[in-house]
Amino acid sequence: VEPGTEANWQQPPFSGAVADGFIWGRGTIDTKGKLLATFEAVEALLRDGFQPTRTIYLVSGHDEEVGGRDGALVIAKRWEAAGKRFEWVLDEGGAIGQGLFPGVAAPAALIGIAEKGRVTLSLTASAEGGHSSIPPPHTAIGILAAAIERVEANPLPASLQGATRQFLGALGPEMEFPMRVVVANSDLLEPLLLRALGASPRSNATIRTTTAVTMVQGGIKENALPASARALVNFRILPGDTVQGVTEYVRRVVDDP
């Protein structure tokens, strides 16, 4: 929760309050519900005397959203050092929901067969400091703002490839007209399909490496010209794209060293 926005929330965190037909559990979604469901399932199996053919390990991390450095990474290194190799791994999984994709009214279960990569690039503008009474045409913040505008106005190209194309092939028959027809003829109507998918943030994320300006820093006083300004831009990389390719694309788009 961003500091200063606490009053915007309807229920306190971890309250478990029952209201409006829901159990309110801020802070419990990612993904403590599945954690408890897993433990309940294991306990039920143990009560029934279930004996698995192979050894099963349950792994619970606490820091996924910040990269998993002290959770999954430490566990993986420990197993590697012990020489353990696994037949297969089942992660937390996707979602079952409605309205997840344009043209699909029925609930859809998302089965993950690929995952995006990520990279965060820093855009930094430097300038002479000084007093705000004698400003240059553009301060460091203004220069940075122009770079941010160019990055947001020029998203990376969209495409139908790999897992996304398979995803559409599976969902296509369940779609309403006219999306069902467009998907069925995606080889001929790809530009139209990409335009339709790009109209929604959720579906847009399946067809391109996404761009999100997430942090901006600059200036220390209202009457002082900032000597530098910095923005962080987070990219979620579509399978097939690369960190190097994204970095080169941003350099071309910003066109300002």
Side-chain angles (χ1 to χ4, degrees):
V1 176
E2 189 172 340
T5 67
E6 292 85 353
N8 296 344
W9 296 82
Q10 293 175 256
Q11 299 288 346
F14 309 109
S15 70
V18 179
D20 305 321
F22 296 95
I23 299 175
W24 293 73
R26 279 178 47 209
T28 62
I29 291 178
D30 196 4
T31 183
K32 299 177 187 72
K34 292 174 183 177
L35 175 72
L36 294 176
T38 300
F39 289 165
E40 288 284 352
V42 169
E43 290 183 359
L45 289 168
L46 289 173
R47 283 195 300 271
D48 292 342
F50 173 74
Q51 180 64 50
T53 304
R54 298 179 182 274
T55 301
I56 297 173
Y57 288 85
L58 303 181
V59 184
S60 306
H62 64 291
D63 61 345
E64 175 209 356
E65 292 296 341
V66 292
R69 296 180 186 89
D70 298 319
L73 181 61
V74 172
I75 294 166
K77 286 182 175 179
R78 181 172 177 177
W79 278 337
E80 183 180 32
K84 290 189 182 294
R85 297 184 64 83
F86 298 90
E87 289 294 322
W88 54 279
V89 177
L90 179 67
D91 73 1
E92 68 186 51
I96 301 175
Q98 288 181 280
L100 297 178
F101 211 76
V104 181
L110 305 182
I111 302 172
I113 61 171
E115 187 169 13
K116 281 185 159 184
R118 65 189 174 105
V119 64
T120 297
L121 300 182
S122 172
L123 307 181
T124 304
S126 300
E128 285 192 34
H131 199 276
S132 63
S133 61
I134 46 173
H138 300 285
T139 68
I141 293 174
I143 296 168
L144 178 65
I148 292 173
E149 195 281 329
R150 287 195 286 273
V151 169
E152 288 194 330
N154 295 277
L156 279 92
S159 63
L160 289 179
Q161 55 180 303
T164 301
R165 189 172 285 278
Q166 289 179 261
F167 176 63
L168 288 171
L171 276 185
E174 308 300 325
M175 291 182 176
E176 300 169 345
F177 182 85
M179 280 293 289
R180 184 170 67 248
V181 176
V182 174
V183 170
N185 296 278
S186 59
D187 290 341
L188 295 174
L189 301 175
E190 183 168 319
L192 180 62
L193 181 56
L194 290 175
R195 192 157 58 248
L197 296 177
S200 160
R202 189 182 294 274
S203 54
N204 179 62
T206 69
I207 58 173
R208 62 162 40 93
T209 293
T210 53
T211 304
V213 181
T214 54
M215 296 183 70
V216 177
Q217 300 165 327
I220 58 170
K221 201 166 184 286
E222 65 180 280
N223 63 347
L225 299 175
S228 67
R230 178 173 179 255
L232 297 184
V233 190
N234 183 252
F235 297 87
R236 297 303 171 109
I237 303 173
L238 195 71
D241 289 350
T242 65
V243 170
Q244 181 181 356
V246 171
T247 304
E248 291 173 352
Y249 185 84
V250 172
R251 283 201 175 106
R252 288 198 305 272
V253 166
V254 172
D255 192 27
D256 184 347

